[in-house]
């Protein structure tokens, strides 16, 4: 089976206590959080897949160098998600 993998830039903002809020500038409503970077990345990938798996036309990802962050420890990283797997997990499920 061919898998449709997408990659989008995400902004990771540390809140303290090792909590990160993650948002995707190119994907409306795609916001999540995680405890530690590993969990935040996993949650980000799941959120990205949940928001895009049933879209026929995907938004164009912004170049990472064009995304500005405030000086609060926030940073930009690429997040990949498997839309094929997400669609199989979410039969008749819409956000």
């Amino acid at each position: 089976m061919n898998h449709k993998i997408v990659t989008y830039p995400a902004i990771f903002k540390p809140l303290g206590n090792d909590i990160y809020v993650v948002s995707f500038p190119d994907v409306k409503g795609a916001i999540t959080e995680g405890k530690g970077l590993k969990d935040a990345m996993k949650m980000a990938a799941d959120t990205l897949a949940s928001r895009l798996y049933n879209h026929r036309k995907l938004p164009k990802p912004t170049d990472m160098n064009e995304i500005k962050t405030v000086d609060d420890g926030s940073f930009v990283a690429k997040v990949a998600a498997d839309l094929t797997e997400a669609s199989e997990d979410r039969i008749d499920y819409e956000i």
Side-chain angles (χ1 to χ4, degrees):
M1 171 194 292
N2 290 333
H3 286 257
K4 184 172 187 175
I5 308 293
V6 297
T7 304
Y8 282 85
I11 299 171
F12 288 74
K13 179 180 179 176
L15 292 183
N17 294 327
D18 207 25
I19 301 291
Y20 291 86
V21 171
V22 186
S23 61
F24 292 87
D26 302 310
V27 184
K28 183 180 177 182
I31 300 171
T32 191
E33 65 180 44
K35 177 109 171 124
L37 283 175
K38 183 177 179 180
D39 185 50
M41 184 63 79
K42 180 182 176 301
M43 296 299 293
D46 187 54
T47 297
L48 184 60
S50 294
R51 288 291 176 176
L52 296 179
Y53 81 93
N54 63 354
H55 286 224
R56 285 178 175 63
K57 184 175 181 183
L58 298 173
K60 183 179 181 209
T62 300
D63 184 301
M64 284 181 50
N65 296 321
E66 295 177 12
I67 299 173
K68 306 296 183 214
T69 59
V70 293
D71 192 19
D72 62 357
S74 293
F75 61 92
V76 178
K78 289 183 178 180
V79 174
D82 186 336
L83 301 187
T84 304
E85 187 176 294
S87 68
E88 292 170 358
D89 289 344
R90 295 167 175 89
I91 296 171
D92 296 328
Y93 176 79
E94 288 191 32
I95 294 177

